Amino acid sequence: MNPLLAKLQPYPFARLRELFAGVTPNPAFEPISLGIGEPKHATPSFIKDALSNSLDTLAVYPATAGEQPLREAFTGWVRQRYGLALDPATQVLPVNGSREALFSLAQTVVDPTKTPAPVVLSPNPFYQIYEGAALLAGAEPYYVPSVAARNFAVDWDSVPAEVWARAQLVYVCSPGNPTGAVMPLEEWKKLFALADQHGFVIASDECYSEIYFRDEPPLGGLEAAAKLGRDDFRNLVALTSLSKRSNVPGLRSGFVAGDASILKKFLLYRTYHGSAMSGAVAAASIAAWSDESHVVDNRAQYRAKFAAVTPLLEPVLDVRLPDASFYLWAGVPAVWNGDDTAFARELYAQYNVTVLPGSYLARDAQGANPGRGRIRMALVASTKECVEAAQRIVQFVQRGR
């Protein structure tokens, strides 16, 4: 067996099941889960129709690069969303959800034969795929802390020069999971300069880009590059998905875009890896990327939900409206002494509400775990359920430990 598999840590939800093992939640309350970031809004019917009307394509092997209409749907959306003109033949590729692409991109980019060992940088806390992708590519993960005092911006300035010198891949998550923070243009400028100096690739995970709470949509990596005169998008690959935007997590559909030279190698890897998107999924994807009205409606539902829930929690938790995404990243009360796991376990036991301990989404690095003392709440259930969960959390906190 591949010895690198032994380096993988249990996934946060496996750890959560272990934390709750032996606990019988209070039967007076119906269960409400804010633990998993799985969209629960209804899938638009026109997307389902496009899928079912294209089942005849299952009789044909799909092209790994995707057919022209699919790639043009990607570039059309990028033009509409960011005002950028991409070449559908060389600057976009279909992927089976951003998760598999985030993983496989590391396998394409990282050269494990280099000495000293290559480094892959990740925000801390982070989406766990970044770590697993780095380890199985033969790289050493380096965890860059997000700083609460700076609205959970990643502290790129804290990275030592010798780490930058060994870096081959840097994961950016903007809007962030779990913090919801959006990386500003000045931070992109800093990261691009470092990429030019050291030659590493930037993977910009943007799957939450269409769920935001202010008038101005979040800045994207390609958009930032263009604003800074980097029209070739060198060293940059942006990854996005339909799962959150269009409420189709089971469709497993997204695309990557950016540096044509990197995507050429990525296509080669994917051809051997067997990562082609089926024709039926492609048809549904074209329909989804070509329509914005359902995205506007989806965003409005989240805005209403956060507007109802956040004011309820602000008096009892260290929490505020994020820049974007569908998570609340909350600090537990001081009486819990930063023990986010105990908070989550007791909340589940007493009020049958599931939240994810923040320490499960981070690693001990540079002497601290930046997720410790925080919880992640995914407001993916109905507004009624989310409000009910918030009210139970208020009662739980007010009862004291």
Side-chain angles (χ1 to χ4, degrees):
M1 300 298 290
N2 185 343
L4 296 175
L5 288 169
K7 295 186 176 184
L8 299 180
Q9 298 203 31
Y11 213 62
F13 306 117
R15 296 178 67 185
L16 189 65
R17 287 192 295 271
E18 184 178 339
L19 178 68
F20 289 170
V23 176
T24 300
N26 189 339
F29 297 100
E30 291 293 320
I32 300 177
S33 178
L34 308 180
I36 299 179
E38 181 179 67
K40 298 297 183 184
H41 297 170
T43 300
S45 58
F46 77 91
I47 298 177
K48 293 187 285 186
D49 290 344
L51 181 70
S52 61
N53 291 338
S54 303
L55 295 181
D56 287 348
T57 61
L58 297 180
V60 179
Y61 281 119
T64 304
E67 302 295 343
Q68 187 74 8
L70 178 62
R71 297 195 302 269
E72 289 181 349
F74 301 154
T75 57
W77 182 78
V78 171
R79 185 183 304 109
Q80 179 271 327
R81 173 64 166 82
Y82 298 110
L84 304 176
L86 300 184
D87 182 353
T90 63
Q91 291 183 304
V92 291
L93 284 177
V95 296
N96 298 315
S98 55
R99 175 175 178 162
E100 72 90 359
L102 287 162
F103 178 85
S104 57
L105 182 64
Q107 315 315 305
T108 303
V109 166
V110 172
D111 178 359
T113 67
K114 288 287 184 70
T115 54
V119 171
V120 172
L121 282 79
S122 164
N124 195 23
F126 60 97
Y127 181 42
Q128 305 296 288
I129 294 302
Y130 308 157
E131 178 185 68
L135 291 170
L136 289 177
E140 176 185 318
Y142 185 90
Y143 308 102
V144 190
S146 299
V147 182
R150 299 177 56 223
N151 191 29
F152 303 104
V154 179
D155 187 9
W156 302 113
D157 291 335
S158 70
V159 179
E162 67 91 16
V163 172
W164 286 123
R166 294 165 54 202
Q168 292 190 13
L169 178 64
V170 174
Y171 283 110
V172 172
C173 189
S174 180
N177 172 9
T179 70
V182 173
M183 197 160 90
L185 186 62
E186 282 304 307
E187 293 292 298
W188 279 110
K189 183 177 181 180
K190 181 185 304 180
L191 210 53
F192 289 145
L194 288 163
D196 289 343
Q197 180 180 353
H198 299 289
F200 57 75
V201 173
I202 301 170
S204 181
D205 180 357
E206 302 176 7
C207 68
Y208 298 96
S209 68
E210 304 313 291
I211 301 172
Y212 53 90
F213 306 101
R214 296 164 180 84
D215 292 336
E216 184 177 358
L219 178 70
L222 299 178
E223 183 184 19
K227 287 178 180 290
L228 296 169
R230 303 172 66 87
D231 296 322
D232 59 354
F233 309 116
R234 61 188 178 277
N235 298 324
L236 174 65
V237 176
L239 307 94
T240 191
S241 164
L242 287 172
S243 295
K244 280 78 175 177
R245 173 189 181 271
S246 299
N247 299 306
V248 287
L251 193 66
R252 309 315 303 137
S253 176
F255 70 89
V256 299
D259 188 326
S261 64
I262 297 173
L263 294 193
K264 183 177 180 180
K265 297 293 187 181
F266 195 32
L267 175 59
L268 175 63
Y269 176 91
R270 298 179 67 75
T271 300
Y272 278 84
H273 188 57
S275 301
M277 178 185 291
S278 83
V281 171
S285 302
I286 291 170
W289 288 115
S290 301
D291 180 81
E292 283 298 313
S293 60
H294 75 286
V295 183
V296 173
D297 176 68
N298 188 46
R299 187 160 51 243
Q301 291 184 61
Y302 280 114
R303 285 181 169 182
K305 197 180 306 184
F306 274 74
V309 169
T310 308
L312 294 175
L313 295 176
E314 284 177 329
V316 297
L317 299 176
D318 176 19
V319 67
R320 61 194 58 83
L321 188 71
D323 293 335
S325 84
F326 52 44
Y327 300 116
L328 284 176
W329 183 236
V332 303
V335 68
W336 290 88
N337 297 316
D339 194 342
D340 49 296
T341 56
F343 183 94
R345 194 172 192 271
E346 286 305 309
L347 175 63
Y348 175 68
Q350 296 181 32
Y351 285 92
N352 213 349
V353 173
T354 300
V355 298
L356 191 63
S359 58
Y360 287 4
L361 294 166
R363 294 286 180 261
D364 294 333
Q366 295 85 51
N369 182 317
R372 186 177 185 273
R374 307 197 78 86
I375 55 171
R376 191 191 76 175
M377 294 174 279
L379 300 193
V380 291
S382 68
T383 299
K384 180 180 179 181
E385 285 182 294
C386 288
V387 168
E388 169 67 20
Q391 291 170 338
R392 294 185 200 175
I393 292 171
V394 170
Q395 294 175 40
F396 173 68
V397 172
Q398 289 177 339
R399 284 182 59 179
R401 188 173 185 180

